[in-house]
Amino acid sequence: MELSDLFPAQGSKKKRTRVGRGHAAGKGKTAGRGLNGQGSRSGGTKGAGFEGGQTPLARRLPKLPGFTNINRVEYIPVNVSRLEAKFEAGSVVDHAALKEKGIIKHSDALVKLLGDGELTKKLTIKLDKVSKSAKAKVEAAGGKVEEPC
């Protein structure tokens, strides 16, 4: 067998129908569009969502209030009670440590420490944001909050 011997299977290749090219072509005169009506005209199709003159769904539904802020920054909330349960006294709490302990899934996520719960261990916090109540609890336990990393 050679490259020149290859050919498509019988019946797999079919010439496209050239419409509007006379009676002999089989699709002459009206080119398969029928006689009259919207579908017979050029550009006669309506756009997506057209419902035959009925008020489209997009116009029947109410406009909902509000908007989506494209500049929104999402923080993963972590409470001091989680740190109390997972960390030893004197530990440094940063993204890598939180991921290692299974508190967050990705170490590049933004984290905010919140003040729910009690904290008795001395910890060093290196997170993106810390609430006032969380900062007060960390400092009351003898720990410190460093600037965002």
Side-chain angles (χ1 to χ4, degrees):
M1 177 177 265
E2 293 187 11
L3 201 60
S4 60
D5 295 335
L6 296 175
F7 57 90
Q10 187 73 34
S12 67
K13 290 287 210 177
K14 193 173 179 184
K15 292 182 81 172
R16 75 177 182 88
T17 305
R18 298 182 68 222
V19 297
R21 293 294 180 269
H23 288 296
K27 283 269 196 272
K29 195 182 164 220
T30 55
R33 288 171 169 261
L35 293 174
N36 295 322
Q38 181 174 305
S40 70
R41 316 281 193 236
S42 67
T45 56
K46 293 294 181 183
F50 182 71
E51 298 183 19
Q54 172 177 297
T55 306
L57 181 67
R59 288 183 57 202
R60 291 198 305 266
L61 297 176
K63 289 189 300 194
L64 297 175
F67 74 106
T68 302
N69 183 0
I70 60 168
N71 298 315
R72 179 183 168 91
V73 179
E74 284 274 349
Y75 288 91
I76 297 173
V78 176
N79 283 302
V80 292
S81 58
R82 298 282 304 275
L83 303 185
E84 176 75 23
K86 297 270 186 175
F87 287 91
E88 304 298 321
S91 299
V92 175
V93 179
D94 59 1
H95 292 87
L98 289 174
K99 182 174 182 341
E100 187 181 308
K101 300 282 185 181
I103 296 174
I104 61 174
K105 287 184 180 177
H106 305 287
S107 57
D108 58 344
L110 298 173
V111 179
K112 181 170 182 176
L113 184 63
L114 303 177
D116 189 35
E118 294 301 317
L119 185 67
T120 59
K121 299 172 183 171
K122 182 180 176 182
L123 299 173
T124 304
I125 308 296
K126 294 181 179 178
L127 296 175
D128 301 299
K129 278 194 168 187
V130 179
S131 70
K132 287 180 184 176
S133 61
K135 185 173 183 178
K137 288 181 181 183
V138 169
E139 290 171 350
K144 63 180 179 177
V145 177
E146 295 185 0
E147 288 297 311
C149 37

